[in-house]
Amino acid sequence: MPEPMDPVPLTSSRPEQIFPALTEAQMQRLISHGTPRSVRAGEVLVEPGDGEIPIFVVMSGELEIVRPSFAQETLLRVIGPGRFTGEINTLSGRRAFARVRARQASGVIQIARESLLALVQTDAELSEIMMRAFILRRVELLAQGLGDVTLVGSSHSADTLRIKEFLTRNGHPYSYIDLERDPDVASVLDRFHVSAADTPVLICRGQTALRNPTNREIAKCLGFNEAVDESRIRDLVIVGAGPAGLAAAVYGASEGLDVLLLETFSPGGQAGSSSRIENYLGFPTGISGNELAGRAYTQAQKFGAQMLLTTGTRLTCDRRPYIVELEDGARIPARTVVIATGARYRKLPLENLARFEGAGVYYGATFIEAQLCRGEEVIVVGGGNSAGQAAVFLAQSAKHVYVLVRASGLAGTMSKYLIRRIEETSNITMLPHTELADLDGSDHLERVTWRNTQTGKTENKSIAHVFVMTGAEPNTAWLGGCVRLDGNGFIKTGPDLSAEDLNDAHWPLSRRPYLLETTLPGILAAGDVRGGNVKRVASAVGEGSIAISFVHQVLKE
Ligand SMILES: Cc1cc2nc3c(=O)[nH]c(=O)nc-3n(C[C@H](O)[C@H](O)[C@H](O)COP(=O)(O)OP(=O)(O)OC[C@H]3O[C@@H](n4cnc5c(N)ncnc54)[C@H](O)[C@@H]3O)c2cc1C
């Protein structure tokens, strides 16, 4: 192995916050949480792929943090006395990305994950320093693509986009080799005995090459679920990690509950696909949904909540503890459940829609999609707020944005501030009484036809990007009749439940259901999935948070 050279330069202007030096008093407080240890020069303390890793605080000597990649090592950092190792994965218990090795004979304090969690929950000063360092380190790894996976793919491939999105939305750093542009592509493919026809290929920890893996296979290869004990009876199982589920996780875990989140895709839910949320309290310049979700997820982890990346497929509700069944057949026992499964996008009734999903047809307008259609014409379908936001956001980088609405205008469906922005943006055109009639292309969308529903006149356009923002349906099918739904399939809760609903459901208690409680005691619903909910991030967060006060009451009963 060659000697590492200079460390990779940081992209951040805040190196002192990424690798802060602790004061003598702070070090003394840390010592009580860990075990002193002497290490020899060259001794390896952490290997990439190790799970449940401790952190190390350097008392004397030096540690080096390196990333092995194929036959080489990249030196990320050398840290001396007063500085500490660790990263977001240390909190979650997921596997390490980097190797930590003593550069010389050194003295360290080893702090186990459980002790680290106790420390960041109780020592406000150290918590701020360490959490900020862990978050900024992850931001740095993401910015530099320094993870444990390499994706080889094409920017014209829907599956490449899907994999990028899955890794990005899960905050997992990766490097990308583009089939069409990267000169190294042939040697990387040869090394793993795969061809361009096999792409997208995901090279997992430099060892396994997965050909066009499903999201589930990626999660397995990267060990996303390994640190979670599935057999323990949890105080609270939350199904869905959108804003409502994340809020329930933060409040539940911070109030001492044993919390497990179940999520199909990534933390953030629908909000995670929003390019900029401008009406969420406390963010006057707006925040991207993914950033908000990333922060909330880290906060939940800090308080000890855990997450399984999986789908809840069935609720066993005829006995307690309740059981949430997972797609792989595993059964998670829960004293209480918060259902926060949100809603899913309505699709357009176009025959070949699925062929172009991710290859020209998108359901979210984030930075990734905006890059794909930079300088080109795009279509946004829909007249609600999400359509308005997407149009305004895309107009910053696209050549022209056409907003297709079936109604005569936007006034009844979109916030005034967005309508004003659309009117003031010269490269947005709103087309009333218009619907998409046809999509056309080969591997990627190339042309569309739209139709005026009043005149029947159709128009053909060479447009390769369509953003569908036409509303959503509740994710309640998996509940299999366990809880009462309203006429549109949303979950009925609290005061919305009539005496008849409760009778039919055999409500067993003398009290009525709490505000967010369903027809089953201790099963609550929060966010978009709940009937009567205002479909906003703030209301989802509010409901997820207050659900916890009812969880406490149920647990006392
Ligand atoms: C593009 C876009 C922009 C938006 N912009 C704004 C905005 O600016 N301001 C605003 O206030 N609101 C905005 N909204 C609305 C807002 O995002 C939603 O109201 C909010 O996300 C609802 O949160 P939720 O947690 O209830 O549900 P969701 O966000 O829908 O999250 C539900 C989660 O549950 C998961 N899930 C579903 N079924 C299962 C299952 N069986 N097992 C495990 N997991 C499951 C899903 O994968 C998802 O992650 C926007 C929505 C979109 C689509």
Side-chain angles (χ1 to χ4, degrees):
M1 191 79 59
E3 263 297 296
M5 308 298 282
D6 288 335
V8 175
L10 297 171
T11 59
S12 167
S13 55
R14 297 184 281 178
E16 263 313 306
Q17 294 185 339
I18 304 183
F19 291 98
L22 300 173
T23 63
E24 195 51 47
Q26 289 164 345
M27 296 278 278
Q28 286 309 314
R29 294 215 298 285
L30 270 178
I31 287 172
S32 63
H33 287 267
T35 317
R37 191 173 151 184
S38 299
V39 286
R40 300 182 311 278
E43 190 172 337
V44 172
L45 299 174
V46 176
E47 268 297 348
D50 286 354
E52 289 271 339
I53 37 169
I55 68 160
F56 296 93
V57 186
V58 184
M59 304 299 285
S60 62
E62 272 180 343
L63 300 181
E64 58 190 4
I65 303 160
V66 297
R67 189 185 72 123
S69 166
F70 305 129
Q72 292 174 339
E73 267 190 357
T74 310
L75 179 63
L76 301 182
R77 205 72 190 171
V78 177
I79 58 169
R83 300 184 201 259
F84 54 89
T85 65
E87 199 265 333
I88 289 290
N89 274 6
T90 326
L91 292 178
S92 62
R94 284 185 185 171
R95 296 183 200 168
F97 294 136
R99 176 174 292 151
V100 178
R101 187 169 51 207
R103 208 171 162 90
Q104 50 183 263
S106 306
V108 296
I109 303 290
Q110 176 169 337
I111 302 178
R113 177 174 166 262
E114 287 303 320
S115 308
L116 175 70
L117 283 174
L119 176 76
V120 294
Q121 287 166 26
T122 50
D123 188 319
E125 188 193 21
L126 283 172
S127 171
E128 191 183 334
I129 294 169
M130 298 181 108
M131 289 301 295
R132 191 191 296 121
F134 293 163
I135 292 166
L136 290 175
R137 287 172 194 178
R138 176 57 65 95
V139 169
E140 194 62 31
L141 292 175
L142 286 165
Q144 302 214 27
L146 293 168
D148 51 357
V149 274
T150 302
L151 174 64
V152 187
S154 155
S155 52
H156 302 298
S157 143
D159 281 312
T160 301
L161 181 65
R162 169 183 60 80
I163 295 171
K164 276 184 172 187
E165 199 149 344
F166 182 70
L167 293 170
T168 304
R169 296 264 303 262
N170 279 287
H172 197 95
Y174 66 95
S175 51
Y176 175 61
I177 298 179
D178 193 284
L179 210 52
E180 281 91 27
R181 291 190 213 133
D182 216 301
D184 289 345
V185 71
S187 67
V188 174
L189 292 176
D190 284 353
R191 188 175 302 141
F192 289 92
H193 310 293
V194 284
S195 71
D198 295 317
T199 59
V201 167
L202 192 75
I203 299 159
C204 208
R205 270 177 286 114
Q207 293 160 359
T208 321
L210 301 175
R211 294 169 174 82
N212 193 13
T214 61
N215 294 344
R216 211 51 59 221
E217 287 166 337
I218 300 171
K220 184 154 190 257
C221 190
L222 297 177
F224 279 0
N225 292 343
E226 282 172 354
V228 178
D229 174 3
E230 296 182 2
S231 61
R232 198 160 79 220
I233 303 180
R234 305 284 175 156
D235 295 329
L236 171 61
V237 169
I238 302 163
V239 191
L246 287 169
V250 168
Y251 279 83
S254 71
E255 292 173 19
L257 300 178
D258 182 4
V259 175
L260 179 64
L261 265 168
L262 308 176
E263 166 56 48
T264 294
F265 184 72
S266 72
Q270 293 176 73
S273 66
S274 175
S275 44
R276 188 142 293 267
I277 299 168
E278 293 194 52
N279 56 356
Y280 188 59
L281 189 73
F283 293 91
T285 56
I287 181 166
S288 83
N290 210 25
E291 196 182 342
L292 185 66
R295 288 175 185 218
Y297 180 44
T298 304
Q299 202 174 3
Q301 286 177 307
K302 165 181 152 176
F303 290 119
Q306 290 186 301
M307 186 175 82
L308 272 179
L309 217 59
T310 184
T311 299
T313 50
R314 207 168 93 92
L315 185 63
T316 303
C317 52
D318 54 357
R319 75 197 89 109
R320 292 172 83 170
Y322 298 115
I323 303 280
V324 182
E325 270 182 42
L326 307 183
E327 56 188 334
D328 63 359
R331 293 161 62 83
I332 308 289
R335 294 189 180 90
T336 63
V337 177
V338 169
I339 303 167
T341 44
R344 110 184 75 83
Y345 303 106
R346 287 214 180 89
K347 309 255 166 150
L348 298 176
L350 295 171
E351 213 178 280
N352 53 1
L353 180 79
R355 204 173 109 207
F356 297 115
E357 281 179 326
V361 173
Y362 317 100
Y363 294 92
T366 68
F367 185 65
I368 295 180
E369 286 84 12
Q371 275 182 322
L372 292 175
C373 51
R374 178 172 290 278
E376 297 181 37
E377 293 193 323
V378 307
I379 290 172
V380 172
V381 183
N385 278 350
S386 54
Q389 284 167 3
V392 171
F393 171 68
L394 291 167
Q396 294 166 16
S397 52
K399 186 173 162 199
H400 201 93
V401 181
Y402 296 92
V403 181
L404 271 51
V405 285
R406 281 202 294 214
S408 57
L410 301 170
T413 49
M414 196 181 284
S415 300
K416 264 195 192 143
Y417 83 97
L418 280 169
I419 299 179
R420 214 171 39 243
R421 286 214 195 146
I422 288 179
E423 288 166 354
E424 286 166 1
T425 309
S426 60
N427 64 337
I428 302 182
T429 305
M430 202 272 290
L431 299 171
H433 303 296
T434 306
E435 63 183 17
L436 268 188
D438 194 27
L439 305 173
D440 193 16
S442 49
D443 290 349
H444 193 279
L445 181 68
E446 289 163 21
R447 283 169 304 282
V448 303
T449 306
W450 66 54
R451 178 174 40 226
N452 183 301
T453 52
Q454 289 201 317
T455 63
K457 195 177 153 224
T458 58
E459 201 171 331
N460 228 294
K461 284 270 187 186
S462 294
I463 293 182
H465 306 282
V466 172
F467 293 83
V468 183
M469 304 281 169
T470 49
E473 282 162 11
N475 291 317
T476 46
W478 68 281
L479 293 166
C482 269
V483 299
R484 203 76 172 167
L485 307 179
D486 68 15
N488 293 318
F490 291 87
I491 299 174
K492 282 180 97 171
T493 55
D496 292 343
L497 289 163
S498 65
E500 196 186 342
D501 287 331
L502 296 178
N503 256 336
D504 290 352
H506 307 293
W507 174 254
L509 306 178
S510 55
R511 67 163 175 83
R512 276 192 55 85
Y514 295 123
L515 187 63
L516 301 174
E517 204 169 21
T518 66
T519 38
L520 281 169
I523 299 207
L524 298 104
D528 278 15
V529 76
R530 200 181 66 79
N533 159 278
V534 180
K535 307 275 176 285
R536 291 282 179 275
V537 174
S539 58
V541 168
E543 290 183 13
S545 318
I546 59 172
I548 298 309
S549 65
F550 304 120
V551 165
H552 284 301
Q553 297 190 45
V554 171
L555 289 175
K556 271 192 241 141
E557 283 172 356

